Amino acid sequence: MNRASMAAGEVAGDAPEGVAQATAAEGVAAQAAKSRALPLTWIEARDHAWSVARPLAAHTVPLALAVGRILAADVVSCHAIPHYASSAMDGWAVAGSPPWILAEKGSRITPGQAAPIVTGGLIPPGAKAVLRSESGEISTDEDGLPILVRGAGARPGEPKNGQHIRPAGQEAAEAELLIKAGVMLNPAHVSLAALGGLDELPVMGRPAVKIVLTGDEVVSAGVPEPGFVRDAFSPQLGAVVSLLGGTVVGLQRAADNLVSMLDALADDEEDPADVVITTGATGHSSADFLRAAITAMGGIFHVPQIAMRPGHPTLLAELPDGRFIVGLPGNPLAAMVGLMTLGAPLLARLGSMAKPALTEVRCGAPIKEFHGPTRLMPYRLVYGLASPCAHTDSAMMRGLAAADGLMAVLPHGAKMGESLPAMHLPWK
C-alpha cells in the first residue's frame, strides 16, 4: 500500500465505505485548504521552522566520521596518556654517571649502564634519564669493550635525572576529562580521543537530507534550447545543505506529475531521510504537484507560504512518519532565500545547533517602498554599509554570488543608514 492509500485508510478507520471515503475526502480537502492558508511573515516562518522540530537522538560514530559533529557526552580517557614512560628523544636510556656499559636489550638497567632507545620507546626498568643521540658517542674502555660516553656536543651534567623522559600520565590521568560535551569536534579532538583509547564518539544527531529536483524543462548539462533551463541546483544545493548542518543521503528527480512526485517523496529504507528538500512545484498551477502529494500522503503544513519576495511559495510540511519537507521554489534566488529562511533553522534545530542568528546592517542606499511583502535583498558591504546588489530577480544568481548577506526590507522601504535585520550566508 502506498503512503497516500495508508493516509486515506488511517482517516477512514473502520467506518462504512461511503462514510470512510467522505471522511478521507474531507481530510484531504482540509489539508489542501491549509496549503493555501494566509502566509506567515518572514520572521514568523523562520521562528516556526525552529519551533516545530526537536533535536535528533544522539548516537556513536567512528572517529573518522566525528569531525564536524557535536559531542553528545563528556569524553574521558580510558587510560593514562601516555600509558607508559617513554623517551622524548632518540638516544640512550641511562642510569648513573658516565661512562656507561651497554646493557643487553630488554634487561633491567643498573647504575653505570645504558640501552639504545628511540623517540616514543618504552623506558626500560631502572633507567633514570635519556641521553640524546647528538650528546653521546660510542667509545671503548681500556679492555677494548664498547662504552657510551658524553660527546663533544653534550651540555655539562647532561642528562639530568628524568631528562627527556615523558612520564606515564603526563598529558592525562586515567578517567580524566578530555573533551566536554557540546563542542564541535575538530581533528585535534578526534586525535586526542584516539590517544585516550577510544574508537568511536557519541555525537548529536545530524539530519539526513534527501534532495528532490523537479521540472520537465530542466537540463543537467550544456546550453539549453529555448524553452528549457539549466539545472542550477544539483551542482550546489548539497554543498549548501552540508554548510547548514545536514548530510545529503540521496538525490532524485521527479517529473511534473503526481505519481512521480509521490514516488520521489517516499522514504528510502536503505538511506532514510529526516528532511526532504524539494525544488520547484511549490505553486498552485496545473504543473505543481508538491502540495497535492503532501496532502495525499497525510502531511500537515506548518508553513504553507511566506509573505516575502522572492520565495513566497516556500513551504514547510511534515509527513505522518515524522519527516519534514522543505519545498523551495524553482527559481534559483527564490529557492536560496527560502532555504535560508526555513531550511537553516530547521536543520540547526534537528542537529542540536544554535538557532542561526540574525544580525543588523545599515542600509547603504535609499530603497523605495514596495506594494507587497517583505523583500529579502542580497547586499554587499561597502565601507560598512549594506548596498543592494544588482541582478537580484528571483531567477538570477549573479547578485547572490557577489553578496555578503540577505537583508530584510519592509514594504515602506528604507532610508540611507537605517538599521535592517539581515541573515548571514553560510558560505561567508
Side-chain angles (χ1 to χ4, degrees):
M1 180 182 291
N2 61 34
R3 292 182 184 271
S5 299
M6 290 172 63
E10 289 170 1
V11 172
D14 297 324
E17 183 175 356
V19 175
Q21 291 176 349
T23 304
E26 289 171 2
V28 171
Q31 277 303 306
K34 191 170 182 179
S35 77
R36 295 174 178 267
L38 290 175
L40 277 68
T41 67
W42 167 64
I43 290 292
E44 288 173 340
R46 187 174 179 275
D47 289 344
H48 209 52
W50 172 264
S51 64
V52 298
R54 292 291 179 269
L56 298 171
H59 59 281
T60 58
V61 296
L63 295 184
L65 301 179
V67 173
R69 304 294 297 271
I70 297 174
L71 187 64
D74 289 346
V75 171
V76 299
S77 181
C78 298
H79 54 70
I81 306 176
H83 59 286
Y84 61 90
S86 62
S87 175
M89 297 284 179
D90 292 337
W92 296 268
V94 300
S97 302
W100 297 279
I101 299 171
L102 297 180
E104 293 185 11
K105 184 176 180 180
S107 63
R108 181 179 183 83
I109 294 178
T110 59
Q113 289 186 322
I117 197 167
V118 296
T119 301
L122 176 65
I123 297 295
K128 302 301 182 182
V130 171
L131 180 69
R132 299 176 300 158
S133 57
E134 57 267 37
S135 298
E137 58 184 44
I138 299 297
S139 182
T140 55
D141 63 10
E142 295 176 351
D143 299 322
L145 297 175
I147 57 172
L148 173 66
V149 297
R150 292 194 186 104
R155 300 184 182 95
E158 185 180 356
K160 297 179 180 178
N161 193 37
Q163 191 170 8
H164 305 314
I165 291 179
R166 295 176 180 144
Q170 183 182 41
E171 186 170 4
E174 183 179 354
E176 184 174 343
L177 176 65
L178 298 181
I179 317 169
K180 284 190 67 65
V183 305
M184 183 79 74
L185 292 166
N186 61 36
H189 289 134
V190 172
S191 179
L192 177 58
L195 290 173
L198 289 94
D199 300 316
E200 55 187 18
L201 290 172
V203 296
M204 301 304 297
R206 184 182 178 104
V209 178
K210 179 181 180 181
I211 295 174
V212 175
L213 308 176
T214 71
D216 292 344
E217 77 284 6
V218 177
V219 297
S220 59
V223 179
E225 298 289 335
F228 293 85
V229 296
R230 180 64 187 267
D231 172 16
F233 293 114
S234 61
Q236 53 87 10
L237 190 54
V240 180
V241 167
S242 295
L243 291 172
L244 294 176
T247 298
V248 176
V249 296
L251 187 149
Q252 186 172 343
R253 296 184 182 275
D256 290 337
N257 61 72
L258 182 57
V259 172
S260 182
M261 181 62 75
L262 287 169
D263 176 71
L265 295 183
D267 202 7
D268 187 336
E269 293 183 0
E270 294 184 0
D271 286 308
D274 303 297
V275 179
V276 179
I277 296 179
T278 67
T279 63
T282 57
H284 299 279
S285 75
S286 59
D288 297 325
F289 291 95
L290 177 60
R291 294 173 189 270
I294 293 171
T295 299
M297 296 172 72
I300 59 173
F301 290 87
H302 292 300
V303 179
Q305 49 195 336
I306 308 172
M308 69 179 184
R309 289 284 189 273
H312 172 74
T314 303
L315 65 86
L316 173 63
E318 186 176 354
L319 297 177
D321 59 15
R323 288 180 298 145
F324 290 97
I325 296 178
V326 178
L328 305 177
N331 283 321
L333 179 57
M336 294 306 296
V337 171
L339 184 60
M340 295 302 101
T341 301
L342 294 184
L346 177 70
L347 294 175
R349 180 66 164 161
L350 291 171
S352 299
M353 298 188 297
K355 184 179 181 180
L358 293 180
T359 186
E360 284 194 352
V361 294
R362 288 191 298 147
C363 189
I367 300 175
K368 295 180 179 180
E369 65 177 314
F370 175 73
H371 296 293
T374 298
R375 287 169 286 173
L376 276 297
M377 304 179 67
Y379 69 84
R380 290 185 63 192
L381 287 174
V382 181
Y383 300 113
L385 297 177
S387 297
C389 294
H391 308 291
T392 55
D393 181 87
S394 64
M396 298 178 178
M397 284 298 282
R398 188 173 173 183
L400 188 64
D404 292 308
L406 295 166
M407 61 182 178
V409 182
L410 294 174
H412 59 66
K415 298 177 181 179
M416 177 82 171
E418 181 178 345
S419 290
L420 299 173
M423 292 187 292
H424 292 294
L425 298 174
W427 53 87
K428 284 291 185 176

